Amino acid sequence: MSTATAPVASPAPVAALPPGPRLPRLVQTLGFIFAPVRFMEAARRRYGDIVTFGTAFDPEFVMVFEPNLVRAVFQGSGDQLRAGEANAVLEPIVGRRSVLLLDGSEHLRQRRLILPAFHGSSLAGYQRVMRSAADATIDAWPVGEPFALLESMQWLTLDVIVTTVFGVEGDERREELKRRVRAALEPVSRGRGSVALMLLRGRLGAGGAIARFEQRRRELDQLIYEEIARRRVAVDVGEREDVFSMLLRARDEEGHSLSDGELRDELITLLVAGHETTATGLAWTFDLLLHNPRVLARLRDELSREDGDDAYLDAVVKEALRLRPVVPGIGRVVRDAPFQLGEYVIPEGVEINPSIAVMHRRADSYPQPDAFRPERFLEHDAPDTYTWIPFGGGTRRCLGASFALLEMRTVIRRVLERAQLRPVSARPDRMLRRGITQVPRRGVRVVLGRPPKTG
Ligand code: HEM
């Protein structure tokens, strides 16, 4: 009898969706609305690192909670795993030609055109803008009266993005642009407005908040198109360093430039994606710092040292984005052919969602996940590209990640150098889902004890 053994075959992929809760869709919807992290963590404990859910918004989608599976999703082809399609909910504001909404080769073309504006050499010039916007904001804070840091940070980050993208400082057009951006976002960034937007999945109909939003978006568009027309004939567009001018000069491999419509959508994308997210990240970081005196004291100490660097500050920002991810999850819709993920084969049409919120709370990656402990980012086994994912990943990773991290470090440093804030509440703020982001429910209310230091 022959002793030769046949090669052991690896387990065949299962041509089915992963298991998941059998609860009615309505119950699952309520779970996602009222206690998303608890609901997802309970499902993960029961079904494992890849789970199928169904809600009123989407009858079947697959959530992913494990670094190797996340890597497989991030490394999948952009033609097969479509982030643009998953981002369709943003179309009413950013437009269908936005880099956020495109897929495949069209997406890569737009992304390549925008990328240089966010390279290291461009970023260095933006830091001065970030610092002076922080100073102006701090100078305007009331002394001894409670105010919401989130709102203050929204104006600050809007100021920064308008200046760096449009390159105009302190004039009336810039102020009008800021006003119109906030006005257009206001109806959709309040609780009910965002739910309406989600329900309609990009197909706007009649209705109070929606009609108001459409009117304000038209007013914003009008200003942007006027600005595009003005800039196209400006004599100095060749020398200007702002993102807008760089986009006007940009050419793809075939020598084509961006059309007015494409420019409009990209400018709005940068204005919207580039300010609310960073403002929310900043508000959360201050909330965590003000409720964790040990970390705040160490950070102040590190920042005051002559020989110090930004390592601890950087770790603070990263830990805040871990514990309070601004965007809790991202999506990719499977197209063209079924996608093999681990031992499962995900059919076409199904959306795969790496959960940033759950990934950031895995106890094997982050011992004591509830603790705010920046030191974990300074240790030899610091979290990596597939365990720390506040900016998503792969060819869709956030284009503004370095910009946002630089802005957060610059603003935090300046606030700690100049101001003594104290929290109004003894407890940290609770999370509130607003559209695709998670914001502090009460906006992080604080009091400035005495006038800020100058210099
Ligand atoms: C703390 C601040 C920010 C957070 C947490 C954040 C988060 C994200 C996330 C999660 C994505 C989706 C990634 C994916 O699907 O894999 C994304 C995409 C994007 N973000 Fe950000 N973002 C921030 C700041 C910014 C800033 C400052 C800008 C621009 C100045 C920006 C521009 C973009 C753009 C253009 C995309 C689309 C990239 C693509 O589809 O190729 N973001 N961001």
Side-chain angles (χ1 to χ4, degrees):
M1 210 169 98
S2 163
T3 55
T5 50
V8 180
S10 52
V14 183
L17 285 166
R22 289 202 207 103
L23 297 164
R25 279 186 213 152
L26 180 64
V27 177
Q28 298 196 49
T29 310
L30 296 176
F32 276 104
I33 291 178
F34 292 109
V37 174
R38 244 188 303 152
F39 181 53
M40 288 185 285
E41 286 192 327
R44 183 185 158 222
R45 276 194 300 276
R46 172 125 195 222
Y47 300 101
D49 284 323
I50 174 164
V51 179
T52 304
F53 293 91
T55 64
F57 305 109
D58 187 344
E60 240 171 17
F61 59 98
V62 171
M63 297 206 77
V64 173
F65 308 122
E66 196 273 331
N68 288 312
L69 295 171
V70 166
R71 182 205 316 256
V73 173
F74 285 167
Q75 291 179 347
S77 107
D79 282 316
Q80 193 185 5
L81 298 185
R82 303 198 179 171
E85 197 174 331
N87 290 339
V89 67
L90 299 172
E91 185 184 328
I93 181 79
V94 298
R96 66 187 164 76
R97 293 145 302 191
S98 157
V99 67
L100 271 162
L101 272 269
L102 296 171
D103 279 305
S105 55
E106 269 190 293
H107 164 257
L108 284 181
R109 170 180 174 264
Q110 292 289 69
R111 194 173 158 99
R112 282 198 199 107
L113 289 175
I114 304 175
L115 214 52
F118 293 96
H119 271 166
S121 54
S122 308
L123 287 185
Y126 303 150
Q127 194 170 13
R128 185 190 56 79
V129 176
M130 293 165 180
R131 192 182 142 105
S132 62
D135 276 333
T137 302
I138 296 167
D139 289 333
W141 281 343
V143 179
E145 270 172 52
F147 66 96
L149 257 185
L150 177 62
E151 198 186 341
S152 175
M153 291 296 122
Q154 283 167 344
W155 285 104
L156 188 167
T157 54
L158 182 57
D159 204 39
V160 168
I161 199 79
V162 164
T163 308
T164 50
V165 167
F166 284 81
V168 271
E169 283 180 61
D171 71 0
E172 260 172 46
R173 266 184 301 131
R174 195 179 72 135
E175 291 310 306
E176 184 58 22
L177 182 65
K178 278 163 56 182
R179 204 191 56 71
R180 290 195 197 185
V181 171
R182 294 297 315 157
L185 290 180
E186 189 260 345
V188 284
S189 68
R190 275 184 303 156
R192 271 191 326 138
S194 64
V195 171
L197 194 70
M198 296 289 281
L199 283 170
L200 292 163
R201 296 280 296 181
R203 291 177 294 278
L204 287 174
I210 301 292
R212 209 164 57 244
F213 162 71
E214 282 214 309
Q215 169 64 24
R216 293 181 182 181
R217 194 207 46 203
R218 273 196 296 276
E219 287 167 13
L220 173 59
D221 281 357
Q222 186 199 351
L223 200 66
I224 302 259
Y225 280 119
E226 275 171 26
E227 200 56 39
I228 293 175
R230 192 194 304 266
R231 216 43 96 79
R232 283 215 187 270
V233 294
V235 281
D236 61 348
V237 83
E239 296 107 56
R240 295 178 69 122
E241 287 303 313
D242 53 82
V243 176
F244 192 168
S245 304
M246 286 190 218
L247 289 179
L248 272 175
R249 295 195 297 263
R251 297 286 177 273
D252 64 15
E253 280 134 21
E254 278 140 38
H256 299 128
S257 56
L258 291 167
S259 67
D260 282 6
E262 285 174 321
L263 265 173
R264 177 266 172 214
D265 289 359
E266 294 317 356
L267 290 170
I268 300 264
T269 299
L270 296 175
L271 289 176
V272 173
H275 94 275
E276 286 225 316
T277 44
T278 315
T280 306
L282 276 164
W284 279 128
T285 311
F286 283 115
D287 196 39
L288 288 164
L289 281 172
L290 296 175
H291 291 95
N292 286 276
R294 178 197 70 81
V295 178
L296 181 58
R298 176 161 177 197
L299 179 58
R300 281 193 188 282
D301 184 50
E302 298 274 348
L303 293 180
S304 65
R305 292 204 346 223
E306 298 252 312
D307 61 340
D309 57 25
D310 273 0
Y312 195 70
L313 174 60
D314 186 55
V316 164
V317 168
K318 288 185 171 146
E319 175 69 342
L321 289 171
R322 176 192 73 81
L323 200 52
R324 300 283 191 271
V326 177
V327 180
I330 45 187
R332 307 284 188 260
V333 178
V334 177
R335 289 290 171 208
D336 288 347
F339 180 73
Q340 186 174 340
L341 186 55
E343 56 181 306
Y344 298 98
V345 178
I346 316 296
E348 275 182 69
V350 171
E351 186 168 325
I352 303 175
N353 296 103
S355 168
I356 299 175
V358 175
M359 287 290 298
H360 284 188
R361 297 173 51 85
R362 282 183 68 103
D364 55 353
S365 310
Y366 302 101
Q368 295 182 290
D370 286 328
F372 181 55
R373 207 175 65 78
E375 286 74 8
R376 57 175 111 236
F377 284 87
L378 300 172
E379 289 155 6
H380 68 278
D381 58 347
D384 66 21
T385 328
Y386 301 108
T387 50
W388 184 76
I389 52 168
F391 297 106
T395 53
R396 305 302 299 227
R397 185 168 190 269
C398 174
L399 270 169
S402 305
F403 185 101
L405 292 171
L406 177 68
E407 182 168 2
M408 289 178 70
R409 289 195 304 269
T410 307
V411 173
I412 293 165
R413 174 187 276 280
R414 208 56 197 135
V415 169
L416 295 191
E417 277 168 358
R418 296 193 53 204
Q420 290 280 353
L421 293 171
R422 61 185 153 77
V424 167
S425 165
R427 298 166 70 95
D429 229 329
R430 302 215 352 247
M431 281 197 244
L432 173 73
R433 184 74 191 244
R434 196 185 265 176
I436 61 157
T437 60
Q438 295 191 120
V439 299
R441 192 176 285 265
R442 284 161 298 157
V444 184
R445 297 183 61 74
V446 295
V447 176
L448 179 67
R450 50 183 132 92
K453 285 191 208 152
T454 49

